Every structure is written in structure tokens, then in C-alpha cells.
Amino acid sequence: MIVEDEILIALDMRDLLEESGHVVVGIADSADHAVAIAVRERPDLILMDIVLAGPHDGIDAALELRERLDVPSLFITAHPDLPMRERAEAARPLGFLVKPLDEGMLRRVLARV
């Protein structure tokens, strides 16, 4: 599953994932939308943008989904600062990728999951 509020980035990620043999069960553009899709679709992994529009961010969504469904997240952010990373660690993420995404790096990370 992909959580990304920039649709072109989300579509590029979807294409890359599908070309690599992964099934994308949904694309969400907000934390609330992410929770709703994940509860319905039960993804194995969530590529989670941290900065999202709305009152909740990707960390909030990842924490809730880890608690409710034990779904791991791979965080994606354009602004990796230490306080954000420390807060995100509570969700026990598989890792952090920095935007703009390097397709080769994303493929290598997904191959290890």
C-alpha cells in the first residue's frame, strides 16, 4: 500500500512496485484514508510519506496501523530531521527513504522485505 499526498509520486511508486512484481492494494493521500484502506485491505507493507495534508501525519497513521494490524511501514520523507525520526521510531518502521526516491534503492529495500 502507498500513502502519499502527491498523486504523481504515488503513481510512479505504484508503477515501480507493480513492475517489480508487487501488488499495490491501494493509494491513500491522508492518514485517515490510509487507516481506512489498510483496515479493509490488510496490506503486508505500507510505503508511508510522513508529511501529509490534514490533522494527522504519516507517523500517526503508522503508529495506529502497527498497533491495530501489526503492519510495518517504510517511511518516505523529504525532510529527515532527528526529532521526526525519533518520533517515527515508535512505529518500528522497516526504515527510512529520502525523497526524491532512488528507484534502485527502493527495489533493494523491497527485495529484503
Side-chain angles (χ1 to χ4, degrees), residues 1 31 34-35 38-39 42-46 48 58-75 87-95 113:
M1 183 173 138
V35 171
V39 166
R42 306 291 176 148
D44 296 323
L45 172 68
I46 301 172
M48 181 75 73
I59 297 171
D60 295 328
L63 287 165
E64 181 173 348
L65 292 171
R66 182 59 106 161
E67 181 180 311
R68 288 177 66 179
L69 306 174
D70 198 30
V71 178
S73 294
L74 177 62
F75 284 119
R87 185 173 153 247
E89 287 296 333
R92 301 185 330 267
L94 295 179
V113 174

Side-chain angles (χ1 to χ4, degrees), residues 11-66:
L11 294 174
D12 284 345
M13 283 194 289
R14 182 196 62 197
D15 292 346
L16 175 65
L17 292 169
E18 290 178 346
E19 288 169 8
S20 299
H22 299 279
V23 175
V24 177
V25 298
I27 296 174
D29 62 357
S30 69
D32 294 337
H33 191 201
V35 171
I37 291 173
V39 166
R40 183 180 69 240
E41 298 294 334
R42 306 291 176 148
D44 296 323
L45 172 68
I46 301 172
L47 297 182
M48 181 75 73
D49 187 12
I50 290 178
V51 178
L52 299 170
H56 304 286
D57 64 14
I59 297 171
D60 295 328
L63 287 165
E64 181 173 348
L65 292 171
R66 182 59 106 161

